[in-house]
PDB file of all heavy atoms in Angstrom:
ATOM      1  N   TYR A   8     -49.368 -28.230  31.203  1.00  0.00           N
ATOM      2  CA  TYR A   8     -50.120 -28.860  32.264  1.00  0.00           C
ATOM      3  C   TYR A   8     -51.520 -28.269  32.326  1.00  0.00           C
ATOM      4  O   TYR A   8     -51.712 -27.090  32.043  1.00  0.00           O
ATOM      5  CB  TYR A   8     -49.467 -28.609  33.629  1.00  0.00           C
ATOM      6  CG  TYR A   8     -48.209 -29.387  33.923  1.00  0.00           C
ATOM      7  CD1 TYR A   8     -46.977 -28.974  33.439  1.00  0.00           C
ATOM      8  CD2 TYR A   8     -48.263 -30.520  34.721  1.00  0.00           C
ATOM      9  CE1 TYR A   8     -45.823 -29.668  33.729  1.00  0.00           C
ATOM     10  CE2 TYR A   8     -47.105 -31.228  35.024  1.00  0.00           C
ATOM     11  CZ  TYR A   8     -45.894 -30.801  34.525  1.00  0.00           C
ATOM     12  OH  TYR A   8     -44.752 -31.491  34.823  1.00  0.00           O
ATOM     13  N   THR A   9     -52.478 -29.087  32.759  1.00  0.00           N
ATOM     14  CA  THR A   9     -53.737 -28.550  33.266  1.00  0.00           C
ATOM     15  C   THR A   9     -53.663 -28.657  34.773  1.00  0.00           C
ATOM     16  O   THR A   9     -53.429 -29.737  35.323  1.00  0.00           O
ATOM     17  CB  THR A   9     -54.941 -29.324  32.736  1.00  0.00           C
ATOM     18  OG1 THR A   9     -55.000 -29.159  31.318  1.00  0.00           O
ATOM     19  CG2 THR A   9     -56.225 -28.804  33.342  1.00  0.00           C
ATOM     20  N   ILE A  10     -53.837 -27.550  35.449  1.00  0.00           N
ATOM     21  CA  ILE A  10     -53.619 -27.483  36.882  1.00  0.00           C
ATOM     22  C   ILE A  10     -54.863 -26.969  37.583  1.00  0.00           C
ATOM     23  O   ILE A  10     -55.729 -26.351  36.973  1.00  0.00           O
ATOM     24  CB  ILE A  10     -52.422 -26.556  37.207  1.00  0.00           C
ATOM     25  CG1 ILE A  10     -52.690 -25.163  36.615  1.00  0.00           C
ATOM     26  CG2 ILE A  10     -51.115 -27.132  36.684  1.00  0.00           C
ATOM     27  CD1 ILE A  10     -51.707 -24.114  37.019  1.00  0.00           C
ATOM     28  N   ASN A  11     -54.953 -27.236  38.885  1.00  0.00           N
ATOM     29  CA  ASN A  11     -55.982 -26.622  39.720  1.00  0.00           C
ATOM     30  C   ASN A  11     -55.460 -25.287  40.221  1.00  0.00           C
ATOM     31  O   ASN A  11     -54.459 -25.222  40.936  1.00  0.00           O
ATOM     32  CB  ASN A  11     -56.320 -27.513  40.909  1.00  0.00           C
ATOM     33  CG  ASN A  11     -57.068 -28.764  40.497  1.00  0.00           C
ATOM     34  OD1 ASN A  11     -56.597 -29.885  40.669  1.00  0.00           O
ATOM     35  ND2 ASN A  11     -58.260 -28.589  39.960  1.00  0.00           N
ATOM     36  N   ALA A  12     -56.139 -24.214  39.835  1.00  0.00           N
ATOM     37  CA  ALA A  12     -55.729 -22.880  40.249  1.00  0.00           C
ATOM     38  C   ALA A  12     -56.175 -22.629  41.688  1.00  0.00           C
ATOM     39  O   ALA A  12     -57.036 -23.331  42.225  1.00  0.00           O
ATOM     40  CB  ALA A  12     -56.350 -21.840  39.324  1.00  0.00           C
ATOM     41  N   PRO A  13     -55.606 -21.626  42.329  1.00  0.00           N
ATOM     42  CA  PRO A  13     -56.151 -21.184  43.617  1.00  0.00           C
ATOM     43  C   PRO A  13     -57.563 -20.649  43.418  1.00  0.00           C
ATOM     44  O   PRO A  13     -58.011 -20.502  42.275  1.00  0.00           O
ATOM     45  CB  PRO A  13     -55.175 -20.090  44.050  1.00  0.00           C
ATOM     46  CG  PRO A  13     -54.529 -19.624  42.791  1.00  0.00           C
ATOM     47  CD  PRO A  13     -54.458 -20.818  41.904  1.00  0.00           C
ATOM     48  N   PRO A  14     -58.296 -20.363  44.510  1.00  0.00           N
ATOM     49  CA  PRO A  14     -59.670 -19.865  44.346  1.00  0.00           C
ATOM     50  C   PRO A  14     -59.744 -18.685  43.377  1.00  0.00           C
ATOM     51  O   PRO A  14     -58.901 -17.793  43.391  1.00  0.00           O
ATOM     52  CB  PRO A  14     -60.064 -19.446  45.763  1.00  0.00           C
ATOM     53  CG  PRO A  14     -59.228 -20.312  46.649  1.00  0.00           C
ATOM     54  CD  PRO A  14     -57.922 -20.481  45.925  1.00  0.00           C
ATOM     55  N   THR A  15     -60.765 -18.709  42.515  1.00  0.00           N
ATOM     56  CA  THR A  15     -60.951 -17.648  41.525  1.00  0.00           C
ATOM     57  C   THR A  15     -62.379 -17.118  41.606  1.00  0.00           C
ATOM     58  O   THR A  15     -63.277 -17.775  42.145  1.00  0.00           O
ATOM     59  CB  THR A  15     -60.688 -18.157  40.092  1.00  0.00           C
ATOM     60  OG1 THR A  15     -61.567 -19.254  39.818  1.00  0.00           O
ATOM     61  CG2 THR A  15     -59.258 -18.612  39.925  1.00  0.00           C
ATOM     62  N   THR A  16     -62.570 -15.938  41.051  1.00  0.00           N
ATOM     63  CA  THR A  16     -63.897 -15.323  40.974  1.00  0.00           C
ATOM     64  C   THR A  16     -64.194 -14.975  39.526  1.00  0.00           C
ATOM     65  O   THR A  16     -63.351 -14.400  38.832  1.00  0.00           O
ATOM     66  CB  THR A  16     -63.971 -14.044  41.827  1.00  0.00           C
ATOM     67  OG1 THR A  16     -63.777 -14.381  43.199  1.00  0.00           O
ATOM     68  CG2 THR A  16     -65.328 -13.365  41.666  1.00  0.00           C
ATOM     69  N   HIS A  17     -65.383 -15.343  39.071  1.00  0.00           N
ATOM     70  CA  HIS A  17     -65.883 -14.945  37.754  1.00  0.00           C
ATOM     71  C   HIS A  17     -67.078 -14.026  37.988  1.00  0.00           C
ATOM     72  O   HIS A  17     -68.078 -14.441  38.578  1.00  0.00           O
ATOM     73  CB  HIS A  17     -66.322 -16.159  36.938  1.00  0.00           C
ATOM     74  CG  HIS A  17     -65.199 -17.014  36.458  1.00  0.00           C
ATOM     75  ND1 HIS A  17     -65.037 -17.359  35.135  1.00  0.00           N
ATOM     76  CD2 HIS A  17     -64.168 -17.599  37.103  1.00  0.00           C
ATOM     77  CE1 HIS A  17     -63.965 -18.124  35.002  1.00  0.00           C
ATOM     78  NE2 HIS A  17     -63.426 -18.292  36.198  1.00  0.00           N
ATOM     79  N   ARG A  18     -66.977 -12.808  37.517  1.00  0.00           N
ATOM     80  CA  ARG A  18     -68.039 -11.822  37.708  1.00  0.00           C
ATOM     81  C   ARG A  18     -68.305 -11.146  36.379  1.00  0.00           C
ATOM     82  O   ARG A  18     -67.370 -10.867  35.617  1.00  0.00           O
ATOM     83  CB  ARG A  18     -67.611 -10.792  38.748  1.00  0.00           C
ATOM     84  CG  ARG A  18     -68.648  -9.698  39.040  1.00  0.00           C
ATOM     85  CD  ARG A  18     -68.049  -8.645  39.969  1.00  0.00           C
ATOM     86  NE  ARG A  18     -67.606  -9.241  41.211  1.00  0.00           N
ATOM     87  CZ  ARG A  18     -66.561  -8.811  41.918  1.00  0.00           C
ATOM     88  NH1 ARG A  18     -65.827  -7.801  41.478  1.00  0.00           N
ATOM     89  NH2 ARG A  18     -66.244  -9.401  43.041  1.00  0.00           N
ATOM     90  N   GLY A  19     -69.570 -10.873  36.075  1.00  0.00           N
ATOM     91  CA  GLY A  19     -69.829 -10.257  34.784  1.00  0.00           C
ATOM     92  C   GLY A  19     -71.215  -9.674  34.643  1.00  0.00           C
ATOM     93  O   GLY A  19     -72.133  -9.973  35.406  1.00  0.00           O
ATOM     94  N   ILE A  20     -71.333  -8.828  33.633  1.00  0.00           N
ATOM     95  CA  ILE A  20     -72.607  -8.240  33.216  1.00  0.00           C
ATOM     96  C   ILE A  20     -72.761  -8.476  31.723  1.00  0.00           C
ATOM     97  O   ILE A  20     -71.833  -8.233  30.948  1.00  0.00           O
ATOM     98  CB  ILE A  20     -72.652  -6.727  33.515  1.00  0.00           C
ATOM     99  CG1 ILE A  20     -72.644  -6.473  35.027  1.00  0.00           C
ATOM    100  CG2 ILE A  20     -73.889  -6.087  32.890  1.00  0.00           C
ATOM    101  CD1 ILE A  20     -72.544  -5.004  35.385  1.00  0.00           C
ATOM    102  N   GLU A  21     -73.940  -8.947  31.328  1.00  0.00           N
ATOM    103  CA  GLU A  21     -74.235  -9.213  29.919  1.00  0.00           C
ATOM    104  C   GLU A  21     -75.510  -8.461  29.545  1.00  0.00           C
ATOM    105  O   GLU A  21     -76.553  -8.649  30.172  1.00  0.00           O
ATOM    106  CB  GLU A  21     -74.424 -10.714  29.690  1.00  0.00           C
ATOM    107  CG  GLU A  21     -73.189 -11.527  30.044  1.00  0.00           C
ATOM    108  CD  GLU A  21     -73.482 -12.993  30.290  1.00  0.00           C
ATOM    109  OE1 GLU A  21     -74.666 -13.359  30.447  1.00  0.00           O
ATOM    110  OE2 GLU A  21     -72.505 -13.767  30.352  1.00  0.00           O
ATOM    111  N   ILE A  22     -75.402  -7.609  28.537  1.00  0.00           N
ATOM    112  CA  ILE A  22     -76.530  -6.761  28.149  1.00  0.00           C
ATOM    113  C   ILE A  22     -76.792  -6.917  26.655  1.00  0.00           C
ATOM    114  O   ILE A  22     -75.865  -6.844  25.843  1.00  0.00           O
ATOM    115  CB  ILE A  22     -76.258  -5.280  28.461  1.00  0.00           C
ATOM    116  CG1 ILE A  22     -75.990  -5.078  29.956  1.00  0.00           C
ATOM    117  CG2 ILE A  22     -77.439  -4.410  28.024  1.00  0.00           C
ATOM    118  CD1 ILE A  22     -75.558  -3.673  30.309  1.00  0.00           C
ATOM    119  N   SER A  23     -78.031  -7.134  26.317  1.00  0.00           N
ATOM    120  CA  SER A  23     -78.482  -7.127  24.924  1.00  0.00           C
ATOM    121  C   SER A  23     -79.601  -6.100  24.818  1.00  0.00           C
ATOM    122  O   SER A  23     -80.565  -6.142  25.585  1.00  0.00           O
ATOM    123  CB  SER A  23     -78.983  -8.513  24.511  1.00  0.00           C
ATOM    124  OG  SER A  23     -79.619  -8.459  23.248  1.00  0.00           O
ATOM    125  N   LEU A  24     -79.462  -5.171  23.870  1.00  0.00           N
ATOM    126  CA  LEU A  24     -80.469  -4.114  23.698  1.00  0.00           C
ATOM    127  C   LEU A  24     -80.734  -3.923  22.212  1.00  0.00           C
ATOM    128  O   LEU A  24     -79.837  -3.549  21.455  1.00  0.00           O
ATOM    129  CB  LEU A  24     -79.993  -2.799  24.317  1.00  0.00           C
ATOM    130  CG  LEU A  24     -80.933  -1.594  24.152  1.00  0.00           C
ATOM    131  CD1 LEU A  24     -82.265  -1.858  24.838  1.00  0.00           C
ATOM    132  CD2 LEU A  24     -80.281  -0.329  24.688  1.00  0.00           C
ATOM    133  N   ASN A  25     -81.961  -4.191  21.809  1.00  0.00           N
ATOM    134  CA  ASN A  25     -82.389  -3.981  20.428  1.00  0.00           C
ATOM    135  C   ASN A  25     -83.366  -2.811  20.403  1.00  0.00           C
ATOM    136  O   ASN A  25     -84.360  -2.819  21.136  1.00  0.00           O
ATOM    137  CB  ASN A  25     -83.061  -5.232  19.862  1.00  0.00           C
ATOM    138  CG  ASN A  25     -82.156  -6.445  19.914  1.00  0.00           C
ATOM    139  OD1 ASN A  25     -80.931  -6.315  19.899  1.00  0.00           O
ATOM    140  ND2 ASN A  25     -82.743  -7.622  19.991  1.00  0.00           N
ATOM    141  N   THR A  26     -83.079  -1.822  19.564  1.00  0.00           N
ATOM    142  CA  THR A  26     -83.881  -0.603  19.524  1.00  0.00           C
ATOM    143  C   THR A  26     -84.372  -0.355  18.103  1.00  0.00           C
ATOM    144  O   THR A  26     -83.561  -0.277  17.170  1.00  0.00           O
ATOM    145  CB  THR A  26     -83.056   0.614  19.986  1.00  0.00           C
ATOM    146  OG1 THR A  26     -82.480   0.337  21.259  1.00  0.00           O
ATOM    147  CG2 THR A  26     -83.933   1.849  20.076  1.00  0.00           C
ATOM    148  N   THR A  27     -85.672  -0.262  17.932  1.00  0.00           N
ATOM    149  CA  THR A  27     -86.246   0.112  16.636  1.00  0.00           C
ATOM    150  C   THR A  27     -86.206   1.629  16.528  1.00  0.00           C
ATOM    151  O   THR A  27     -87.020   2.329  17.147  1.00  0.00           O
ATOM    152  CB  THR A  27     -87.680  -0.408  16.501  1.00  0.00           C
ATOM    153  OG1 THR A  27     -87.689  -1.829  16.676  1.00  0.00           O
ATOM    154  CG2 THR A  27     -88.246  -0.073  15.131  1.00  0.00           C
ATOM    155  N   LEU A  28     -85.257   2.138  15.766  1.00  0.00           N
ATOM    156  CA  LEU A  28     -85.060   3.579  15.673  1.00  0.00           C
ATOM    157  C   LEU A  28     -86.133   4.253  14.833  1.00  0.00           C
ATOM    158  O   LEU A  28     -86.496   5.404  15.080  1.00  0.00           O
ATOM    159  CB  LEU A  28     -83.673   3.877  15.091  1.00  0.00           C
ATOM    160  CG  LEU A  28     -82.480   3.332  15.881  1.00  0.00           C
ATOM    161  CD1 LEU A  28     -81.181   3.633  15.148  1.00  0.00           C
ATOM    162  CD2 LEU A  28     -82.442   3.925  17.284  1.00  0.00           C
ATOM    163  N   ALA A  29     -86.629   3.547  13.832  1.00  0.00           N
ATOM    164  CA  ALA A  29     -87.638   4.161  12.961  1.00  0.00           C
ATOM    165  C   ALA A  29     -88.437   3.077  12.257  1.00  0.00           C
ATOM    166  O   ALA A  29     -87.940   1.981  11.998  1.00  0.00           O
ATOM    167  CB  ALA A  29     -86.967   5.070  11.932  1.00  0.00           C
ATOM    168  N   ARG A  30     -89.688   3.409  11.944  1.00  0.00           N
ATOM    169  CA  ARG A  30     -90.557   2.536  11.156  1.00  0.00           C
ATOM    170  C   ARG A  30     -91.217   3.357  10.055  1.00  0.00           C
ATOM    171  O   ARG A  30     -91.401   4.561  10.190  1.00  0.00           O
ATOM    172  CB  ARG A  30     -91.654   1.923  12.028  1.00  0.00           C
ATOM    173  CG  ARG A  30     -91.200   0.920  13.055  1.00  0.00           C
ATOM    174  CD  ARG A  30     -92.396   0.180  13.645  1.00  0.00           C
ATOM    175  NE  ARG A  30     -92.014  -0.771  14.683  1.00  0.00           N
ATOM    176  CZ  ARG A  30     -92.130  -0.532  15.984  1.00  0.00           C
ATOM    177  NH1 ARG A  30     -92.625   0.635  16.391  1.00  0.00           N
ATOM    178  NH2 ARG A  30     -91.779  -1.438  16.868  1.00  0.00           N
ATOM    179  N   GLY A  31     -91.581   2.691   8.965  1.00  0.00           N
ATOM    180  CA  GLY A  31     -92.299   3.353   7.889  1.00  0.00           C
ATOM    181  C   GLY A  31     -91.490   4.411   7.170  1.00  0.00           C
ATOM    182  O   GLY A  31     -92.035   5.426   6.741  1.00  0.00           O
ATOM    183  N   LEU A  32     -90.173   4.191   7.027  1.00  0.00           N
ATOM    184  CA  LEU A  32     -89.336   5.167   6.339  1.00  0.00           C
ATOM    185  C   LEU A  32     -89.673   5.254   4.854  1.00  0.00           C
ATOM    186  O   LEU A  32     -89.701   6.342   4.272  1.00  0.00           O
ATOM    187  CB  LEU A  32     -87.861   4.805   6.516  1.00  0.00           C
ATOM    188  CG  LEU A  32     -87.316   4.887   7.951  1.00  0.00           C
ATOM    189  CD1 LEU A  32     -85.912   4.322   8.010  1.00  0.00           C
ATOM    190  CD2 LEU A  32     -87.328   6.326   8.428  1.00  0.00           C
ATOM    191  N   MET A  33     -89.904   4.120   4.218  1.00  0.00           N
ATOM    192  CA  MET A  33     -90.204   4.090   2.794  1.00  0.00           C
ATOM    193  C   MET A  33     -91.521   3.375   2.490  1.00  0.00           C
ATOM    194  O   MET A  33     -92.038   3.471   1.384  1.00  0.00           O
ATOM    195  CB  MET A  33     -89.064   3.396   2.027  1.00  0.00           C
ATOM    196  CG  MET A  33     -87.711   4.085   2.202  1.00  0.00           C
ATOM    197  SD  MET A  33     -86.360   3.197   1.380  1.00  0.00           S
ATOM    198  CE  MET A  33     -86.840   3.353  -0.334  1.00  0.00           C
ATOM    199  N   VAL A  34     -92.033   2.639   3.476  1.00  0.00           N
ATOM    200  CA  VAL A  34     -93.296   1.925   3.312  1.00  0.00           C
ATOM    201  C   VAL A  34     -94.237   2.456   4.379  1.00  0.00           C
ATOM    202  O   VAL A  34     -94.230   2.006   5.521  1.00  0.00           O
ATOM    203  CB  VAL A  34     -93.103   0.402   3.463  1.00  0.00           C
ATOM    204  CG1 VAL A  34     -94.426  -0.325   3.209  1.00  0.00           C
ATOM    205  CG2 VAL A  34     -92.020  -0.097   2.516  1.00  0.00           C
ATOM    206  N   SER A  35     -95.043   3.454   4.037  1.00  0.00           N
ATOM    207  CA  SER A  35     -95.863   4.137   5.041  1.00  0.00           C
ATOM    208  C   SER A  35     -97.318   3.736   5.023  1.00  0.00           C
ATOM    209  O   SER A  35     -98.043   3.978   5.986  1.00  0.00           O
ATOM    210  CB  SER A  35     -95.756   5.657   4.854  1.00  0.00           C
ATOM    211  OG  SER A  35     -96.158   6.011   3.539  1.00  0.00           O
ATOM    212  N   ASN A  36     -97.798   3.120   3.942  1.00  0.00           N
ATOM    213  CA  ASN A  36     -99.222   2.818   3.838  1.00  0.00           C
ATOM    214  C   ASN A  36     -99.520   1.333   4.023  1.00  0.00           C
ATOM    215  O   ASN A  36    -100.625   0.885   3.771  1.00  0.00           O
ATOM    216  CB  ASN A  36     -99.757   3.262   2.469  1.00  0.00           C
ATOM    217  CG  ASN A  36     -99.643   4.766   2.285  1.00  0.00           C
ATOM    218  OD1 ASN A  36     -99.892   5.526   3.221  1.00  0.00           O
ATOM    219  ND2 ASN A  36     -99.281   5.189   1.079  1.00  0.00           N
ATOM    220  N   ALA A  37     -98.540   0.596   4.463  1.00  0.00           N
ATOM    221  CA  ALA A  37     -98.716  -0.843   4.595  1.00  0.00           C
ATOM    222  C   ALA A  37     -99.322  -1.194   5.952  1.00  0.00           C
ATOM    223  O   ALA A  37     -99.546  -0.340   6.805  1.00  0.00           O
ATOM    224  CB  ALA A  37     -97.374  -1.548   4.427  1.00  0.00           C
ATOM    225  N   ASP A  38     -99.580  -2.471   6.132  1.00  0.00           N
ATOM    226  CA  ASP A  38    -100.022  -2.996   7.415  1.00  0.00           C
ATOM    227  C   ASP A  38     -98.999  -2.609   8.481  1.00  0.00           C
ATOM    228  O   ASP A  38     -97.794  -2.755   8.272  1.00  0.00           O
ATOM    229  CB  ASP A  38    -100.118  -4.520   7.292  1.00  0.00           C
ATOM    230  CG  ASP A  38    -100.600  -5.183   8.575  1.00  0.00           C
ATOM    231  OD1 ASP A  38    -100.578  -4.542   9.633  1.00  0.00           O
ATOM    232  OD2 ASP A  38    -100.996  -6.352   8.496  1.00  0.00           O
ATOM    233  N   PRO A  39     -99.427  -2.109   9.670  1.00  0.00           N
ATOM    234  CA  PRO A  39     -98.472  -1.717  10.713  1.00  0.00           C
ATOM    235  C   PRO A  39     -97.506  -2.829  11.098  1.00  0.00           C
ATOM    236  O   PRO A  39     -96.403  -2.556  11.580  1.00  0.00           O
ATOM    237  CB  PRO A  39     -99.380  -1.337  11.893  1.00  0.00           C
ATOM    238  CG  PRO A  39    -100.673  -0.954  11.266  1.00  0.00           C
ATOM    239  CD  PRO A  39    -100.816  -1.819  10.048  1.00  0.00           C
ATOM    240  N   GLN A  40     -97.913  -4.091  10.903  1.00  0.00           N
ATOM    241  CA  GLN A  40     -97.028  -5.202  11.213  1.00  0.00           C
ATOM    242  C   GLN A  40     -96.088  -5.541  10.058  1.00  0.00           C
ATOM    243  O   GLN A  40     -95.288  -6.467  10.169  1.00  0.00           O
ATOM    244  CB  GLN A  40     -97.864  -6.443  11.564  1.00  0.00           C
ATOM    245  CG  GLN A  40     -98.800  -6.248  12.743  1.00  0.00           C
ATOM    246  CD  GLN A  40     -98.063  -5.922  14.024  1.00  0.00           C
ATOM    247  OE1 GLN A  40     -97.013  -6.491  14.306  1.00  0.00           O
ATOM    248  NE2 GLN A  40     -98.599  -4.991  14.794  1.00  0.00           N
TER     249      GLN A  40
END
């Protein structure tokens, strides 16, 4: 069956974190970009 449930709560936290740990490890004399 698809049924109507009693009242429900949806609660959440969503986190995305991108971290550049290092730059220029092997290419040090190039354009900074």
